[in-house]
Amino acid sequence: MAGGGEGTSGGVHVVMFPWLAFGHISPFAQLARKLVSGEAAAGRVRVTFLTAAGAVPRVEAMLASAAAAVRVVALTLPHVPGLPAGAATTADLSPDGAELLKLAVDGTLPEVRTLLAELRPDAVLIDFATPWVCDLAAPLGARVLYFCVFSAASFAYCTVPARLAGWQHPSALTADDLTVAPAGFPTASALATVPAHQAADLTYMYTSFHGMPPVYDRVLAGVRGSAGFVMKTCREMEGPYIDYISAQYGKPVLLAGPVVPEPPEGELEERWASWLSSFPEDAVIFASFGSETFLPAAVATELLLGLEATGHPFLVVLNFPKGMDAAAEVAARVPLGFEERVKGRGLVHTGWVQQQHILRHRSVGCFVNHAGFSSVVEGLVAGCRLVLLPMKTDQYFNAALFARELRVGVEVARRDDEDGWFGRDDVWDAVAAAVAAGGDGDARKWREFFTAHAVQNKFAVNFATELKEIVKR
């Protein structure tokens, strides 16, 4: 084995180091569980998971079912001026604070160097934020793999070398440039162009903050210093995009398969179970947008009015950045007279809920979400009709991929390409289309694909086999 950490026992020791955002940590944790359980673990894979000290309790909870084979190691984030003391993930921070968090992660380099020298892993899975791990791993003989936690479609559009062709620096790219896919992008794709408001949002990836390299530069450095990619997708879903990425970088792509969440444990809280059970089967619309997608006041108000107009019972979960007065923020989004009009059939909640349990309740038939990859899969597996309301970056590509290419879900129409505005009528139209006869499109086919044990097990076994082959090189 390359690194020597497990070489004498014939197994593989993998170090995982995700970016400190739970939208990144979660796929790494899902993959870790997949690697160390079932037939994929036949070759004795074990994982060391690096994260910030303040995130360790939550990460350990995510990995509890694999605790015997996954060790979580705490990193000490150095002080960075302007970064709040104790901040451990982007969930604790404003957007600018999240940029400062990258500086703190860069500052863990000496600690990570020491850890890797002690651990002597065979492979290291990194995220976009830490391309410097490639230089630390090389002298140890450890193979670095770049784990893309986003869809292949979004990565292919935004972060291949062809995207910068003809430009001196990523910062030179304009929103107009980003409305069109890079050269060589799959010609039959429904994602070959994006509207102006989405392109403007994508400029973030090519912008430098606090003198640091932009996301695009970090990605390219990480991929070029690695032995290949890891992607949580499959050829059945994204074959042309996978091939394009591999050709652009000249690197192998190891496919973990779509990481389907394990069935939830425990029971749904009584307050939700009681309320949901008061409605007929498939009657309720559940709207939720993850822990780090925040709807502006005007957007949330139109969403609420659109759901009210459907006549269906509904539960909406709205969350806000840490430090904000959640009750005041909800009040700013609830229209005048709304609560009285929807009394008994409509609820607005802020804070964590048992999303998977709610989606699987018999009365929930439609799931309005931000097109986060995991949320789409959770809703699909639960048997819900899907309404996709993407709000940023990769979510736009996920929505287009699922709705237009895989025929799963209905996108909320945008009336203005410049600002992405939509109204209550657009929400009503999307829900009506989703719950109508035939509104589930090819959802049944993909639900069976995602839930077939033989299919998912094959992905896990094949991935573990390919990982071992990479390590042997």
Side-chain angles (χ1 to χ4, degrees):
M1 294 293 174
E6 290 283 307
T8 56
S9 64
V12 175
H13 180 195
V14 179
V15 168
M16 295 187 174
F17 189 11
W19 166 235
L20 299 178
F22 282 103
H24 291 244
I25 291 171
S26 180
F28 273 77
Q30 289 173 331
L31 182 59
R33 294 194 301 267
K34 200 171 188 178
L35 272 175
V36 302
S37 63
E39 292 182 31
R44 296 186 301 281
V45 178
R46 72 179 178 91
V47 174
T48 300
F49 203 101
L50 308 185
T51 194
V56 166
R58 186 168 171 186
V59 171
E60 286 183 334
M62 296 168 73
L63 292 165
S65 63
V70 181
R71 173 191 174 201
V72 180
V73 174
L75 297 176
T76 302
L77 298 182
H79 171 70
V80 172
L83 188 66
T89 72
T90 56
D92 304 323
L93 299 165
S94 66
D96 187 63
E99 298 305 323
L100 292 173
L101 187 62
K102 292 174 187 171
L103 286 172
V105 170
D106 286 343
T108 66
L109 187 153
E111 185 179 6
V112 174
R113 176 191 284 118
T114 299
L115 278 169
L116 293 181
E118 292 173 354
L119 294 168
R120 303 286 295 181
D122 299 295
V124 185
L125 268 61
I126 65 168
D127 211 330
F128 80 94
T130 54
W132 41 264
V133 170
C134 299
D135 294 330
L136 305 185
L140 306 174
R143 298 290 188 182
V144 176
L145 292 166
Y146 181 96
F147 185 8
C148 174
V149 301
F150 302 115
S151 64
S154 61
F155 192 94
Y157 193 98
C158 299
T159 43
V160 294
R163 172 52 75 192
L164 201 58
W167 300 98
Q168 294 296 316
H169 190 271
S171 62
L173 287 166
T174 68
D176 283 345
D177 298 321
L178 296 170
T179 60
V180 180
F185 193 78
T187 55
S189 172
L191 290 72
T193 61
V194 302
H197 74 274
Q198 294 182 15
D201 192 48
L202 295 178
T203 59
Y204 162 78
M205 300 186 67
Y206 313 93
T207 303
S208 174
F209 298 90
H210 302 290
M212 293 183 292
V215 169
Y216 179 86
D217 280 359
R218 286 182 184 260
V219 171
L220 261 66
V223 176
R224 286 173 171 162
S226 71
F229 286 93
V230 171
M231 294 193 131
K232 57 166 195 170
T233 186
C234 59
R235 292 195 167 277
E236 291 85 345
M237 295 175 63
E238 298 191 274
Y241 305 110
I242 294 165
D243 291 339
Y244 177 61
I245 292 166
S246 183
Q248 277 281 301
Y249 281 101
K251 304 272 185 178
V253 179
L254 282 65
L255 302 176
V259 183
V260 179
E262 297 91 345
E265 297 181 355
E267 300 294 328
L268 179 60
E269 289 181 36
E270 174 58 29
R271 61 169 172 164
W272 299 124
S274 177
W275 187 79
L276 290 171
S277 296
S278 67
F279 301 105
E281 184 174 351
D282 293 336
V284 178
I285 302 169
F286 175 54
S288 181
F289 303 90
S291 60
E292 295 187 40
T293 295
F294 311 118
L295 274 59
V299 169
T301 297
E302 291 299 315
L303 170 70
L304 295 176
L305 289 170
L307 294 177
E308 177 190 357
T310 67
H312 287 272
F314 59 86
L315 168 60
V316 180
V317 178
L318 298 177
N319 285 314
F320 309 97
K322 188 173 182 178
M324 298 184 74
D325 184 337
E329 294 300 321
V330 169
R333 287 157 173 77
V334 173
L336 185 65
F338 175 81
E339 292 174 299
E340 186 63 31
R341 294 195 302 271
V342 302
K343 188 174 182 179
R345 73 171 178 94
L347 291 177
V348 180
H349 175 76
T350 184
W352 182 81
V353 296
Q354 297 164 286
Q355 178 163 297
Q356 285 198 66
H357 285 85
I358 290 172
L359 289 171
R360 291 168 185 249
H361 193 280
R362 64 164 185 81
S363 72
V364 177
C366 181
F367 180 29
V368 181
N369 65 86
H370 59 310
F373 203 94
S374 295
S375 288
V376 173
V377 174
E378 285 180 9
L380 188 61
V381 168
C384 296
R385 302 290 179 96
L386 302 177
V387 171
L388 307 177
L389 184 58
M391 299 301 298
K392 58 185 179 182
T393 53
D394 64 299
Q395 297 168 7
Y396 297 125
F397 295 97
N398 295 344
L401 173 71
F402 278 102
R404 300 177 211 168
E405 297 198 352
L406 304 182
R407 297 190 67 249
V408 173
V410 176
E411 295 172 274
V412 174
R414 310 291 177 127
R415 295 186 179 181
D416 189 330
D417 280 353
E418 292 299 320
D419 63 13
W421 184 89
F422 67 89
R424 63 203 72 175
D425 292 342
D426 302 301
V427 174
W428 185 94
D429 287 343
V431 170
V435 301
D440 55 348
D442 288 336
R444 181 185 296 274
K445 178 185 80 172
W446 288 107
R447 185 179 307 120
E448 291 173 354
F449 178 78
F450 288 143
T451 56
H453 175 75
V455 172
Q456 296 305 319
N457 189 61
K458 181 180 177 182
F459 285 137
V461 171
N462 287 350
F463 176 79
T465 300
E466 291 177 355
L467 175 63
K468 291 168 189 172
E469 288 301 316
I470 287 279
V471 165
K472 288 177 182 176
R473 293 177 187 172

